[in-house]
Amino acid sequence: VTTPGTAAPPAALSDPVRRRRSKGGGGGLATRGRSVPYLLVAPAILIIVGVLGYPMVEMLWLSFQNYSKQNPFSTQKSVTFGGLSNYTTVLGNSEFWTVLERTVIITVLMVGLTVAIGMLIALMMQRISTWARYLITFSLILVWSVPTLVSTIVFQWMFDQDFGVVNILLGQVGHDWFGTNVSGFGVIIFLVVWGAVPMVALMFYAGLTQVPKELVEAARVDGANPWQTFRSVVFPIIRPVVLIMTALSIFWDFQVFTQIWVMRGGQPNQDYFTLGIWAYNEGYSSFDFGTASTLTTITVLLLLFVTVPYLRQLIRIGDAK
Amino acid sequence: VSAHTEVQAVNPARAATQPTRVARRRRRPIAKYILNTVAVATALFWIFPIYWMLLVAVRPVTDIYSQHPSFSPFTNFTWINFSEVLHDPAFWQALRNSLIVVSAAVFIATFVGFLAAVALARFSFKFKRIMIVMIMIVQMVPLLAVMVPLYIIYTKVGLSESLQGLVVAYLALTLPFTIWTLRGFIAGVPQELEEAAMVDGCSRFKAFFHVILPLVVPGLISTAVFVLIQTWNEFQLTNFMINDQDHHTLALYLNFFLGGNKEIPYGEVMATAFLMSLPVVVLFMLVQRQIASGLTAGAVKG
């Protein structure tokens, strides 16, 4: 079931259709029909290659270029081929390892909290009254639909030093949440998790409704405690959903951007750099496209590494259809 | 869950023979009461920042910069922030830019994506498998990866700072997803429906138009709405590509409030934030429902 070769059945299915079609309409149409799929995919291929494929190759090429930092306004003229020098500079910079470590830590925290809280809410949704379920579903969908930029700005104001409602409620007006990057990232992680939980919780809940009640009941009759029931009966069934949502969360949280960039007023200092923010900043403020591309290439490679399980799952779903 | 409790309730004999079950039955209403309370608290907790946004949007500035804020929307209620925003020509310019860019991106992505999705779902051809894998990999490419190259290419071909360039960039952002989702919707329509129409004498083209297309329309709409939401909200790429204030989208207009050393007019910021969120929130809720209703289920029922 898992091998890519199983894509054959859908292809075989559509063949009799075409044969029948050509019988009714004559040979000319059948030959014309053969080019139809190519014509249909041509515009999409053209756009994907043009705006995604070519730029990615360009990015790889750029990562081997040295951009002189002195004059940002004449970048075109001061570009030289640097081979792997960008990579050796970046990988040799201790700052890179600090940033990488930071990126990994906040990703793990964000993903872990999102999945755990999402699962708790989903399990709770299964056990509450219908009206309460409607209420929580409504609030989750509402939060899910609010633009990230908007929620970031709201959180920024809520955590304001002097007039933020959080400080007022906690009775510590004047506390600077962004005084250290640990508490600063605390706020950012809170924001990201708050925004990411709704989708995860609703997907998990949808998964939980697929678990046959008889199985859960049988496990309980056999004397399993709630945790054992969850681990041995419920979880194996919702495993695919959990895997996909975890992989997607890793993918999104590893390159979380708006929440950090906007929260830090569009000019995050080094203490708030993640790999993605650093790369963006190199291109955006320093116009050092070489270093930006190098950092991006490294980020993409790391991302591909962690999302391969997700890709495999997608291929499996694609084959099932 | 409720059905389950009922089953237990109408089966007292079984419950009576199991003391633990009796205990569980007696405890359940209390447990449920507690869980309901927790659920309400969770819902309120999650919704609070949005409530706070609305609250600040209808506050005069003196109440916003206060250390004793009221939690009721009716204290010193005012429309002044909204009227400030709605009288700002830059807001209307940004709205116009957003509408132009988003509608162009939605139309092209949905149309081109649909054509490709039909090919992938209904035809067999030589490079199909390679294409599917390619689309999935491309879907995994972070925005970050194409931002700098696109910026440089745009500078070369004179598309930098232009709305056209933004539309093209948005296609990169949305097209793989569009193809992938629409392919799923089309594949969800049973092939037999189409075959039956053709046996009845329809041409393949006609069968497609009269049988598949009507069934895929809900899918097309929800995909288009997802593209709309994604492009309407887009900030990272747009911020990188566009500096010129005349070409600001709503997202950039909103973010522009935060720049500079001036005091931030949070009332206007939240009013703008509300205006920007409203259409996507409404559309999102509509699409949520549409996706929930099974697409092929209706077809089989007739």
Side-chain angles (χ1 to χ4, degrees), chain B:
Chain B
V1 176
S2 56
H4 181 73
T5 13
E6 272 164 33
V7 170
Q8 283 197 357
V10 294
N11 200 350
R14 199 174 148 207
T17 55
Q18 292 176 349
T20 50
R21 187 62 59 81
V22 175
R24 182 167 283 139
R25 255 186 71 210
R26 278 202 197 120
R27 209 168 57 224
R28 180 152 287 179
I30 303 166
K32 200 163 189 178
Y33 177 79
I34 294 170
L35 273 179
N36 280 344
T37 315
V38 174
V40 170
T42 313
L44 292 179
F45 181 82
W46 243 264
I47 230 165
F48 180 78
I50 296 162
Y51 176 72
W52 200 246
M53 170 182 84
L54 296 177
L55 214 65
V56 175
V58 295
R59 280 278 149 78
V61 67
T62 45
D63 286 33
I64 295 169
Y65 286 96
S66 150
Q67 276 160 5
H68 305 280
S70 156
F71 286 80
S72 153
F74 304 111
T75 321
N76 297 330
F77 182 92
T78 172
W79 287 114
I80 182 90
N81 298 314
F82 283 95
S83 106
E84 288 283 343
V85 172
L86 294 176
H87 281 100
D88 181 5
F91 170 78
W92 294 102
Q93 179 65 42
L95 179 64
R96 229 193 85 207
N97 292 340
S98 274
L99 288 176
I100 292 172
V101 175
V102 167
S103 52
V106 167
F107 181 77
I108 299 173
T110 315
F111 184 70
V112 172
F114 182 67
L115 295 183
V118 170
L120 291 178
R122 281 296 192 255
F123 289 87
S124 59
F125 55 99
K126 221 176 172 182
F127 304 108
K128 182 170 162 174
R129 172 133 213 103
I130 299 172
M131 258 205 75
I132 292 179
V133 172
M134 189 187 86
I135 290 170
M136 283 189 308
I137 292 175
V138 149
Q139 204 180 2
M140 291 277 102
V141 172
L143 209 50
L144 201 62
V146 293
M147 223 157 43
V148 168
L150 272 185
Y151 182 85
I152 292 174
I153 296 168
Y154 280 8
T155 318
K156 280 182 196 155
V157 299
L159 271 177
S160 58
E161 292 288 334
S162 73
L163 295 182
Q164 292 94 316
L166 213 49
V167 173
V168 175
Y170 284 172
L171 289 180
L173 185 75
T174 52
L175 197 55
F177 166 82
T178 315
I179 299 173
W180 192 245
T181 323
L182 284 174
R183 176 187 172 272
F185 278 117
I186 297 167
V189 177
Q191 191 113 27
E192 294 81 45
L193 287 177
E194 205 179 338
E195 285 170 21
M198 285 196 280
V199 167
D200 290 349
C202 268
S203 70
R204 177 156 208 179
F205 186 73
K206 258 191 165 172
F208 178 78
F209 253 85
H210 294 299
V211 180
I212 303 190
L213 198 60
L215 291 171
V216 180
V217 162
L220 265 176
I221 293 175
S222 48
T223 310
V225 169
F226 269 116
V227 174
L228 189 156
I229 292 174
Q230 224 181 337
T231 48
W232 178 269
N233 292 348
E234 213 296 317
F235 171 71
Q236 183 177 11
L237 187 73
T238 320
N239 187 45
F240 200 87
M241 294 291 187
I242 304 285
N243 271 317
D244 185 359
Q245 226 188 312
D246 287 342
H247 291 161
H248 273 189
T249 60
L250 268 188
L252 292 189
Y253 173 79
L254 177 58
N255 182 58
F256 194 66
F257 276 112
L258 308 183
N261 296 319
K262 57 192 189 298
E263 187 160 277
I264 299 166
Y266 269 105
E268 287 167 49
V269 171
M270 296 306 165
T272 311
F274 172 75
L275 292 171
M276 184 186 159
S277 311
L278 189 64
V280 288
V281 168
V282 171
L283 283 172
F284 188 83
M285 294 208 160
L286 292 176
V287 172
Q288 264 296 111
R289 199 176 287 173
Q290 204 146 43
I291 282 176
S293 66
L295 291 165
T296 48
V300 173
K301 273 182 216 150

Side-chain angles (χ1 to χ4, degrees), chain A residues 291-303:
Chain A
T291 308
S293 300
T294 305
L295 285 166
T296 311
T297 308
I298 295 171
T299 312
V300 172
L301 289 177
L302 287 170
L303 268 176

Side-chain angles (χ1 to χ4, degrees), chain A residues 65-252:
Chain A
Q65 310 287 316
N66 282 334
Y67 278 80
S68 134
K69 276 188 180 182
Q70 279 82 9
N71 45 350
F73 296 106
S74 60
T75 42
Q76 299 296 343
K77 281 164 194 153
S78 53
V79 187
T80 50
F81 185 78
L84 286 171
S85 70
N86 280 330
Y87 289 92
T88 50
T89 313
V90 165
L91 294 176
N93 186 349
S94 67
E95 176 70 13
F96 170 79
W97 299 100
T98 315
V99 171
L100 177 64
E101 188 191 358
R102 183 186 299 141
T103 312
V104 170
I105 290 174
I106 68 162
T107 305
V108 168
L109 284 172
M110 285 172 184
V111 175
L113 285 169
T114 305
V115 171
I117 297 173
M119 184 60 81
L120 284 176
I121 291 182
L123 287 170
M124 179 178 76
M125 283 172 74
Q126 240 192 344
R127 288 164 176 76
I128 56 181
S129 311
T130 313
W131 64 266
R133 195 156 53 235
Y134 275 128
L135 179 72
I136 200 158
T137 308
F138 171 80
S139 70
L140 290 179
I141 292 179
L142 184 64
V143 168
W144 184 1
S145 64
V146 167
T148 308
L149 178 65
V150 166
S151 51
T152 305
I153 289 173
V154 174
F155 267 68
Q156 193 188 39
W157 178 235
M158 283 172 53
F159 282 90
D160 185 81
Q161 198 170 342
D162 297 317
F163 303 102
V165 65
V166 175
N167 274 351
I168 291 167
L169 286 178
L170 294 178
Q172 50 166 2
V173 172
H175 173 72
D176 182 6
W177 287 91
F178 293 91
T180 68
N181 69 347
V182 174
S183 84
F185 271 114
V187 174
I188 288 164
I189 290 171
F190 180 39
L191 165 62
V192 171
V193 171
W194 172 84
V197 157
M199 179 185 181
V200 172
L202 291 171
M203 296 298 276
F204 284 175
Y205 176 69
L208 285 174
T209 57
Q210 304 296 311
V211 179
K213 287 203 178 81
E214 303 79 46
L215 282 182
V216 179
E217 184 64 10
R220 203 162 57 197
V221 169
D222 288 348
N225 66 34
W227 167 243
Q228 286 168 324
T229 313
F230 178 76
R231 213 191 53 188
S232 317
V233 180
V234 178
F235 188 75
I237 298 175
I238 59 168
R239 217 177 92 106
V241 189
V242 176
L243 277 185
I244 285 195
M245 292 317 294
T246 309
L248 273 180
S249 301
I250 296 172
F251 182 71
W252 287 328

